[in-house]
Amino acid sequence: MNNPNPQRTPLQDCCSATSNTSKSKTSTSCTSNANQDQSDQNTGQCCASDEIATHSSSIGLQFSWRVSGMDCASCARSIEKAVSSVDGVMSANVVFSTEKLRVSANIDVSDKIQDAVKGIGFDLQPLTATIDSSSSTLSLYNWREYVSIVGLALLMLISWGIAQFNPLFGQTAFVVTTLVGLVPIMKKSWRMMCSGSPFSIETLMSVAAIGALFIGATAEAAMVLLLFMLGECLESFAANRARKGVSALMALLPEEALIIKNGVRQKIAIADLRPGDEIEVSPGERLPADAELISEMASFDESALTGESVPVERLRDDKVAAGSLLADRVVRLKVVSKPGNNAIDRILQLIEEAEERRAPLERFLDKFSRVYTPVIMLMSVLVILIPPLAFAQPWDMWIYRGLTLLLIGCPCALVISTPAAITSGLAAATRRGALIKGGLALEQLGRVKTIAFDKTGTLTEGKPSVTNVVTFNGSEVDDLLAAAASVEMGSHHPLAKAIVDYTEQQGIALEHASNRKTLVGVGVEGNFAGKKISISAPSKLIRTLDNSIQQQVTVLEQEGKTVVVVLEDGESSGLIALRDKLRDDAKVALKDLAALGINSVMLTGDNARAAGVIAAELNIDYRASLLPEDKVSAVVELNQQQATAMVGDGINDTPAMKASTIGIAMGSGTDVALETADAALTHNRLIGLVEMVRLSRATNANIRQNITIALGLKAVFLVTTLLGLTGLWLAVLADSGATALVTANALRLLSKRS
């Protein structure tokens, strides 16, 4: 993956440096590679002081902070503009969902960056600060906001009371109330203008409120500010709700781990854990890193990562993901993940990458909004000037209408309409054990009409077992298995593992064959016990196999089994037949996909007869005996007819995934498949595909609804404003109300049940 992980730079895997969160100054996170030797560290190590930590790489210095106080995606864009304007900054990126600010600079500009961000009203914190610490700061931020709202409401109430007894004094009181409310808004407006955002909502509000005072609409000016503050508060609440899932994910990792060294137990920060360290975990605790179980067995609740509510039993040497909750007994485990590269970190990385891969519609609306606001502002000026100058209309009336129109020019609701829905959709997918890498993938998933499946490990469990062993030419079963296992040892192919496991179960001693090599598209070969042993698919030996052997192969394949031929010095010595088991939910998932109007097809390298039995059982089309390049051709052909997704789990599936409209990996698949895919099912349940498609379609529908709400309300108020039917406070509702409605509508996706 090209993008850095939440605590990783482009050059190195990383871990957060321990920091004292009580320090008054903000610091960035320091990163280092867990496995670097000392000489590497001398050339690329972290340079840290008490207040600031940076990472030096080939592209300059890298800085990372956590940002608090953002209400919507527009805030993130404003921060990016402000930071990008700092001298020495090469690039700045704000990830709204995880509240991360990442900066590349050619000099140490950390202090200037902090000043720039704080200057436009946001706070920076070190990445090493805990989630609780971040939450408390956010609560303080909201508390200040609540005080402003309550204070302004009280002033308005007092002004209204005064106006009941003395209209003149009451009007003066409303002027004072408006000016008090304007102070923080104008401050932020000025900061935003200085940072390169001249058309912010704060600027529009300031102009409208001052204009309203100018024409004597003092009560409305104060009401406009109060409604604006309430709208901002609602946005903040909605944004925090949308980020709640990400925060909960980040909080899954404990701060410390109990490590055992030379029989001595001691607690250390999880950033100090290294692959190979032995740790001890007690019931009710979560794993601080990806680890391999040393104890005999244990049960783990992995629901936070996979969506599976039932605890999973793990045996010795099984790998368990970081963040999993130990259910039943004290166990020991061996750490296998590098710092900053455990399961939680990888999911957070996918979420960050997902936000950067914005949907086409979102990119379009972002560009549209940059033109929309200046156009509306120009229209507002024309509305103020043309009627009085050209038609001798009253200035007060048209200034009022122009100011009202100005408030409609804020693009907040329109800008947030797509990212709000996509963020909610991605968060909802994560809850269901599906990782979707961005708005583009989420949008395309809903348009898929055909899904191509790999067979082994996708439609089936990927754990074939030996069912038949047939010998020829006087060979013994044990000798045949020993020879076959010798050349298959070390292979990660499911069939190879099955043969080796079965041989072990029979109590036969295993030995590695010498000169072992893979014959691409054919099989494997090696030297064992003075003979050249080859294992091949029957289809590659069709001209050399006797008719009697071919008949036995046909019979076994018609039973849905996969057959391999074992040869000794070029002579057939036996057959090994294997059968894989369908996933429990395969039939239900494919039936539900068909109900959604999605066609399914199986693409497999297995023989046609075995594939046909599986396909008939699932009632889907199939193409068999395919090499990786054949799968690519098949997917390209299907894609030309209609949008096609490819679902697989192996390295050989990755080219086809890239050729499809959207590639989906099974969570148990290879790292290459998971990295190549646009989406992944962490729980390995095929029914999750159905949930993903439904959620994608719901998200696309939600986006259309949001755009209709945002543009519809503005269009209505544009007309009513020009006709003089609506005033300033209703115009604010057209903006803040639309933003709140759009956000609330998007949040429905979080509770949507598939």
Side-chain angles (χ1 to χ4, degrees):
M1 296 185 183
N2 298 323
N3 293 318
N5 128 359
Q7 295 179 349
R8 187 163 30 173
T9 64
L11 186 66
Q12 303 171 292
D13 286 319
C14 72
C15 63
S16 298
T18 49
S19 70
N20 186 348
T21 56
S22 63
K23 291 177 183 176
S24 59
K25 291 190 177 182
T26 304
S27 67
T28 59
S29 69
C30 174
T31 58
S32 66
N33 188 322
N35 292 333
Q36 278 185 317
D37 58 25
Q38 188 60 43
S39 62
D40 287 336
Q41 292 177 8
N42 290 337
T43 60
Q45 66 183 359
C46 295
C47 310
S49 68
D50 286 341
E51 282 80 25
I52 186 72
T54 66
H55 170 69
S56 177
S57 75
S58 59
I59 60 172
L61 298 173
Q62 306 296 304
F63 303 88
S64 297
W65 288 273
R66 182 171 290 121
V67 187
S68 62
M70 291 190 293
D71 295 328
C72 65
S74 297
C75 297
R77 306 284 181 269
S78 299
I79 294 170
E80 286 178 353
K81 284 184 181 179
V83 174
S84 297
S85 66
V86 174
D87 291 336
V89 171
M90 295 185 290
S91 66
N93 178 43
V94 176
V95 184
F96 178 67
S97 59
T98 55
E99 300 180 284
K100 292 281 184 63
L101 166 62
R102 293 197 299 262
V103 180
S104 296
N106 48 30
I107 56 174
D108 186 351
V109 290
S110 55
D111 290 336
K112 293 181 180 179
I113 291 171
Q114 293 177 61
D115 291 340
V117 174
K118 290 181 179 179
I120 57 174
F122 301 97
D123 292 322
L124 290 180
Q125 295 176 307
L127 287 182
T128 50
T130 63
I131 298 299
D132 290 339
S133 171
S134 177
S135 297
S136 63
T137 302
L138 188 59
S139 297
L140 181 59
Y141 175 84
N142 286 338
W143 176 247
R144 291 198 300 265
E145 194 173 6
Y146 298 149
V147 168
S148 299
I149 294 172
V150 173
L152 187 61
L154 287 175
L155 286 175
M156 283 191 64
L157 188 61
I158 293 170
S159 300
W160 178 82
I162 294 173
Q164 300 306 304
F165 297 100
N166 190 316
L168 181 61
F169 285 171
Q171 191 171 24
T172 304
F174 273 119
V175 170
V176 173
T177 299
T178 302
L179 293 176
V180 170
L182 264 176
V183 171
I185 295 174
M186 289 188 68
K187 279 184 179 180
K188 189 170 183 180
S189 171
W190 176 253
R191 292 167 182 164
M192 298 292 276
M193 291 175 68
C194 293
S195 67
S197 300
F199 301 124
S200 65
I201 180 59
E202 287 80 11
T203 301
L204 300 182
M205 287 300 309
S206 299
V207 172
I210 293 171
L213 291 179
F214 177 75
I215 61 174
T218 55
E220 282 192 86
M223 178 60 75
V224 161
L225 295 181
L226 180 61
L227 289 173
F228 170 69
M229 289 182 177
L230 285 171
E232 292 283 287
C233 189
L234 284 173
E235 283 185 44
S236 178
F237 170 78
N240 293 335
R241 173 82 183 276
R243 284 194 294 252
K244 190 176 180 181
V246 175
S247 299
L249 187 64
M250 296 168 71
L252 286 178
L253 291 177
E255 295 182 18
E256 294 181 324
L258 185 63
I259 189 173
I260 302 175
K261 283 189 176 181
N262 301 321
V264 178
R265 292 173 173 79
Q266 65 180 94
K267 285 193 174 183
I268 64 170
I270 63 170
D272 296 329
L273 287 175
R274 295 292 181 268
D277 286 346
E278 184 178 331
I279 59 174
E280 185 174 276
V281 180
S282 300
E285 295 180 349
R286 294 191 180 275
L287 266 63
D290 293 348
E292 196 174 86
L293 190 61
I294 297 176
S295 303
E296 287 300 323
M297 65 172 293
S299 294
F300 293 89
D301 180 354
E302 302 176 356
S303 57
L305 297 170
T306 66
E308 290 284 3
S309 58
V310 179
V312 179
E313 282 197 357
R314 299 295 182 187
L315 303 178
R316 180 192 291 271
D317 298 332
D318 282 353
K319 290 183 180 178
V320 189
S324 298
L325 182 70
L326 180 60
D328 53 2
R329 66 193 68 186
V330 176
V331 295
R332 291 189 180 186
L333 304 101
K334 181 176 70 175
V335 174
V336 296
S337 62
K338 297 176 182 178
N341 194 30
N342 58 51
I344 301 294
D345 293 318
R346 290 194 295 272
I347 292 174
L348 289 171
Q349 179 185 0
L350 290 177
I351 293 172
E352 292 194 353
E353 290 175 353
E355 189 160 318
E356 291 170 2
R357 299 178 186 178
R358 294 191 289 163
L361 182 58
E362 183 181 355
R363 291 194 294 269
F364 168 75
L365 290 177
D366 197 24
K367 293 177 181 178
F368 174 76
S369 65
R370 295 173 190 172
V371 177
Y372 169 80
T373 301
V375 168
I376 291 293
M377 292 185 74
L378 177 61
M379 287 181 61
S380 178
V381 172
L382 294 177
V383 165
I384 291 172
L385 296 178
I386 291 177
L389 293 177
F391 304 103
Q393 294 288 312
W395 280 97
D396 285 2
M397 180 176 71
W398 288 101
I399 288 175
Y400 183 85
R401 292 181 183 181
L403 293 174
T404 304
L405 183 62
L406 185 68
L407 293 180
I408 299 173
C410 177
C412 281
L414 186 62
V415 170
I416 202 174
S417 60
T418 301
I422 287 175
T423 300
S424 295
L426 294 174
T430 303
R431 287 183 180 181
R432 292 163 173 77
L435 295 177
I436 303 176
K437 301 179 184 178
L440 177 60
L442 184 62
E443 185 178 307
Q444 289 176 333
L445 189 58
R447 296 172 181 166
V448 165
K449 296 297 181 183
T450 300
I451 297 183
F453 293 90
D454 173 50
K455 180 176 76 74
T456 305
T458 304
L459 291 172
T460 64
E461 292 183 348
K463 297 177 182 178
S465 56
V466 175
T467 59
N468 304 81
V469 179
V470 182
T471 58
F472 309 124
N473 301 323
S475 298
E476 296 291 333
V477 171
D478 286 2
D479 293 338
L480 178 74
L481 289 172
S486 70
V487 294
E488 295 285 22
M489 286 178 67
S491 173
H492 294 288
H493 194 283
L495 297 181
K497 289 182 177 180
I499 292 173
V500 173
D501 290 345
Y502 182 76
T503 304
E504 273 189 310
Q505 291 168 11
Q506 302 306 307
I508 301 171
L510 299 179
E511 295 182 30
H512 280 279
S514 59
N515 300 322
R516 182 187 177 280
K517 62 181 179 180
T518 300
L519 307 175
V520 180
V522 178
V524 293
E525 68 176 24
N527 297 327
F528 176 73
K531 296 180 180 180
K532 183 178 181 181
I533 307 299
S534 303
I535 297 181
S536 175
S539 59
K540 308 301 179 183
L541 305 170
I542 197 71
R543 296 180 180 178
T544 60
L545 290 180
D546 293 341
N547 288 334
S548 60
I549 297 177
Q550 289 184 18
Q551 289 174 1
Q552 292 188 62
V553 169
T554 300
V555 170
L556 291 169
E557 288 182 344
Q558 286 175 342
E559 295 173 359
K561 297 172 182 176
T562 302
V563 182
V564 296
V565 182
V566 182
L567 301 97
E568 294 183 0
D569 291 332
E571 294 291 328
S572 302
S573 60
L575 303 175
I576 300 178
L578 306 95
R579 177 76 187 260
D580 202 355
K581 180 185 175 184
L582 278 178
R583 290 190 181 275
D584 293 336
D585 63 343
K587 292 182 181 179
V588 175
L590 296 183
K591 183 179 179 181
D592 287 351
L593 286 173
L596 292 173
I598 296 176
N599 300 317
S600 298
V601 59
M602 181 174 71
L603 307 179
T604 179
D606 207 348
N607 68 84
R609 280 185 286 268
V613 172
I614 297 293
E617 196 172 345
L618 294 171
N619 193 30
I620 60 172
D621 294 331
Y622 72 95
R623 301 185 188 185
S625 302
L626 301 179
L627 296 174
E629 54 268 30
D630 299 326
K631 288 187 178 182
V632 172
S633 300
V635 168
V636 170
E637 181 185 334
L638 290 169
N639 234 354
Q640 290 173 346
Q641 300 171 16
Q642 51 192 5
T644 300
M646 175 68 194
V647 185
D649 72 322
I651 294 175
N652 62 328
D653 297 321
T654 55
M657 287 182 186
K658 296 298 288 184
S660 64
T661 300
I662 177 171
I664 303 170
M666 302 299 288
S668 59
T670 63
D671 289 342
V672 175
L674 289 170
E675 290 182 6
T676 302
D678 302 297
L681 291 169
T682 61
H683 48 45
N684 290 315
R685 288 186 292 111
L686 283 175
I687 199 68
L689 278 175
V690 183
E691 296 173 350
M692 286 170 68
V693 172
R694 286 176 177 162
L695 185 59
S696 174
R697 292 182 178 180
T699 303
N700 289 336
N702 195 281
I703 290 171
R704 291 192 293 271
Q705 294 163 6
N706 285 349
I707 293 173
T708 301
I709 292 171
L711 290 179
L713 279 175
K714 289 183 182 296
V716 169
F717 279 91
L718 175 63
V719 174
T720 56
T721 295
L722 293 176
L723 294 176
L725 300 177
T726 52
L728 283 173
W729 68 275
L730 281 176
V732 174
L733 288 181
D735 173 63
S736 297
T739 303
L741 282 174
V742 162
T743 307
N745 189 44
L747 289 176
R748 290 192 304 114
L749 292 170
L750 291 173
S751 58
K752 184 175 180 61
R753 296 297 171 193
S754 299

